[in-house]
């Protein structure tokens, strides 16, 4: 089977996606599959590179440019989605993080083209990316979370003073402000007073027309990897070990100042409860394939769900595959499991369509 690996994309997580693609390329089972890399530029051009049939020894040039000389290793062919998925037996592997890759848009394209794909479906991807919608679903599923409220740009523009009064009436400082649809700490900031709150809201509105405002809590950040379609498996929990309360995009991905502790140092009953909540959250958004579920754990061992990530960072050293490595599924086997789960879901839905 040919795996069409899509990476890059239009989001702020473009470079992280390329790192994910490099790891996947090195660990795919080439005895079973060939791999076709398709680089999506930030201008949304799809550029197809040469097919790969064996694991490379070093990183490959993946930032293809269709205008380069054909002898250049980074030359690729400008293609349309229909040209990529041209009736061959293929499965799409969207190694895309953030908007336009993890939010249901490209998953809808795969569905329209009748192409099997790795990862969560349209609904789970869209709900998981939207922090407001996902929190409403977790609330209905009775998964504990910190107090939160939301704000639209229209409300902020028309009723700023009223909006600030409402937020300060519902929450106490410190308060976190986040764009509703974004990841990797882009556009997120912590406010300790009204002036900082105004600045945080203005920043978040640079990235989305809706923002979520959350109660800050002094807690550890603990994450669980989830795998499966209808049968859900959870990994051991791991902790993001930090020396300060909040890390932005640069600290996480450029300066690499975040460390992982796997498994997290937690009592057994707390570990079990977190894994149960992770499975519950996975079901609440109707996820499939994979999702990472993030939690806060206070010093009193209170547990609060933070968010879900339906296409988490997937380099060999990222939290999601590292959690499965610690749970007994190595990186290469995890990739194969995800491919088979994507095919399984495709066959299930194809069977439903045939019955109608």
């Amino acid at each position: 089977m040919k795996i069409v690996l899509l990476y890059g994309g239009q989001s702020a997580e473009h470079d992280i996606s390329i790192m994910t693609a490099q790891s996947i390329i090195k660990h795919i089972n080439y005895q079973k599959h060939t791999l076709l890399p398709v680089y999506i530029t930030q201008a949304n051009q799809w550029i197809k590179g040469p097919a790969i049939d064996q694991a490379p020894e070093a990183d490959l040039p993946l930032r293809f440019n269709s205008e380069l000389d054909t002898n250049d290793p980074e030359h690729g062919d400008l293609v349309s989605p229909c040209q990529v998925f041209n009736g061959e037996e293929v499965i799409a592997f969207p190694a895309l993080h953030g908007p336009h890759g993890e939010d249901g848009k490209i998953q809808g394209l795969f569905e329209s083209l009748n192409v099997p794909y790795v990862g969560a479906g349209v609904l789970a991807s869209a709900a998981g990316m939207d922090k407001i919608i996902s929190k409403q679903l977790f609330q209905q599923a009775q998964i504990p979370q910190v107090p939160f409220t939301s704000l639209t740009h229209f409300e902020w523009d028309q009723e700023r003073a009223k909006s600030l009064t409402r937020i300060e009436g519902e929450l106490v400082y410190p308060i976190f402000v986040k764009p509703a649809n974004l990841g990797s700490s882009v556009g997120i900031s912590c406010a300790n007073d009204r002036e900082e709150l105004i600045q945080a809201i203005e920043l978040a509105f640079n990235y989305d027309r809706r923002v979520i405002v959350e109660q800050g809590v002094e807690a550890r950040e603990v994450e669980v990897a989830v795998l499966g379609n209808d049968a859900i498996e959870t990994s051991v929990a791991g902790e993001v070990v930090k020396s300060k309360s909040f890390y932005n995009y640069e600290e996480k991905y450029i300066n690499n100042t975040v460390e992982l502790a796997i498994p997290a140092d937690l009592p057994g009953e707390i570990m079990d409860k977190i894994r149960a909540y992770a499975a519950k959250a996975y079901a609440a958004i109707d996820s499939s394939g994979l999702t990472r579920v993030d939690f806060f754990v206070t010093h009193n061992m209170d547990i609060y769900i933070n968010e879900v990530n339906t296409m988490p960072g997937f380099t060999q050293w990222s939290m999601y595959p590292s959690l499965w490595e610690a749970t007994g599924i190595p990186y290469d086997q995890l990739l194969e499991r995800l491919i088979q789960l994507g095919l399984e879901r495709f066959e299930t839905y194809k069977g439903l369509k045939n019955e109608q």
Side-chain angles (χ1 to χ4, degrees):
M1 172 162 285
K2 182 179 287 184
I3 299 166
V4 177
L5 180 66
L6 300 158
Y7 62 92
Q10 298 171 265
S11 82
E13 299 170 80
H14 183 94
D15 292 343
I16 308 304
S17 174
I18 295 173
M19 293 168 60
T20 290
Q22 291 283 11
S23 287
I24 292 171
I25 288 169
K26 291 177 184 176
H27 292 89
I28 285 291
N29 185 344
Y30 290 100
Q31 293 182 339
K32 290 185 176 182
H33 313 293
T34 58
L35 190 146
L36 183 69
V38 177
Y39 174 50
I40 302 177
T41 71
Q42 290 180 312
N44 200 31
Q45 290 182 311
W46 288 40
I47 304 177
K48 180 180 69 173
I52 303 169
D53 58 11
Q54 61 182 351
E57 295 182 0
D59 286 354
L60 297 177
L62 294 180
R63 296 178 187 269
F64 302 127
N65 190 323
S66 62
E67 297 178 0
L68 292 176
D69 185 274
T70 55
N71 293 321
D72 192 290
E74 294 190 28
H75 172 80
D77 298 319
L78 189 65
V79 293
S80 70
C82 290
Q83 289 174 311
V84 173
F85 304 109
N86 59 2
E88 294 182 82
E89 188 180 3
V90 301
I91 181 169
F93 198 136
L96 297 161
H97 309 303
H100 304 286
E102 192 182 344
D103 56 2
K105 294 185 178 73
I106 202 162
Q107 288 77 14
L109 174 64
F110 299 146
E111 297 281 355
S112 297
L113 295 175
N114 200 33
V115 172
Y117 58 95
V118 169
V122 175
L123 173 64
S125 298
M129 175 60 66
D130 193 305
K131 295 178 177 67
I132 297 171
I133 297 299
S134 59
K135 283 186 175 296
Q136 291 170 345
L137 291 171
F138 301 150
Q139 197 170 50
Q140 186 167 353
Q142 299 183 326
I143 305 171
Q145 54 193 330
V146 298
F148 69 93
T149 188
S150 60
L151 182 67
T152 67
H153 192 275
F154 180 80
E155 290 172 324
W156 183 243
D157 186 56
Q158 298 295 315
E159 300 179 327
R160 179 168 302 199
K162 183 178 178 180
S163 297
L164 288 168
T165 300
R166 174 174 65 83
I167 292 169
E168 291 177 326
E170 295 180 22
L171 308 172
V172 297
Y173 294 106
I175 293 171
F176 280 87
V177 183
K178 308 175 182 179
N181 288 272
L182 212 59
S184 292
S185 299
V186 176
I188 299 177
S189 47
C190 178
N192 293 289
D193 54 41
R194 176 170 280 210
E195 182 178 350
E196 291 183 357
L197 178 60
I198 292 171
Q199 293 173 353
I201 291 171
E202 293 284 0
L203 174 65
F205 277 133
N206 288 328
Y207 298 96
D208 204 339
R209 52 170 288 274
R210 295 156 62 245
V211 303
I212 186 163
V213 188
E214 299 175 341
Q215 177 65 64
V217 61
E218 187 174 339
R220 300 157 63 184
E221 293 189 19
V222 174
E223 303 176 350
V224 175
V226 188
L227 179 70
N229 290 335
D230 293 324
I232 299 173
E233 300 175 56
T234 60
S235 73
V236 297
E239 182 176 357
V240 180
V241 181
K242 306 184 299 182
S243 59
K244 55 185 179 181
S245 61
F246 173 64
Y247 280 75
N248 58 20
Y249 178 91
E250 286 75 17
E251 293 295 328
K252 282 185 176 180
Y253 297 108
I254 298 175
N255 299 332
N256 294 316
T257 56
V258 177
E259 296 182 4
L260 308 181
I262 304 173
D265 183 14
L266 293 167
E269 65 273 16
I270 299 299
M271 177 78 78
D272 292 343
K273 185 177 287 189
I274 292 171
R275 294 177 72 169
Y277 280 143
K280 202 171 184 179
Y282 195 80
I285 64 169
D286 192 30
S287 197
S288 53
L290 76 159
T291 288
R292 195 191 71 223
V293 187
D294 301 349
F295 296 90
F296 297 128
V297 180
T298 71
H299 67 279
N300 292 327
M301 294 298 160
D302 294 323
I303 301 167
Y304 302 104
I305 191 169
N306 178 20
E307 61 184 17
V308 295
N309 192 319
T310 56
M311 182 49 73
F314 213 91
T315 70
Q316 189 177 2
W317 302 276
S318 298
M319 178 66 97
Y320 184 90
S322 296
L323 288 169
W324 281 118
E325 182 85 33
T327 311
I329 305 178
Y331 191 90
D332 55 347
Q333 293 181 24
L334 180 60
L335 289 173
E336 188 61 30
R337 286 283 300 275
L338 290 170
I339 292 165
Q340 296 306 319
L341 285 168
L343 292 171
E344 175 189 288
R345 184 188 56 206
F346 179 76
E347 291 300 322
T348 297
Y349 278 98
K350 187 169 71 173
L352 292 174
K353 292 173 184 175
N354 290 339
E355 291 175 4
Q356 293 177 352

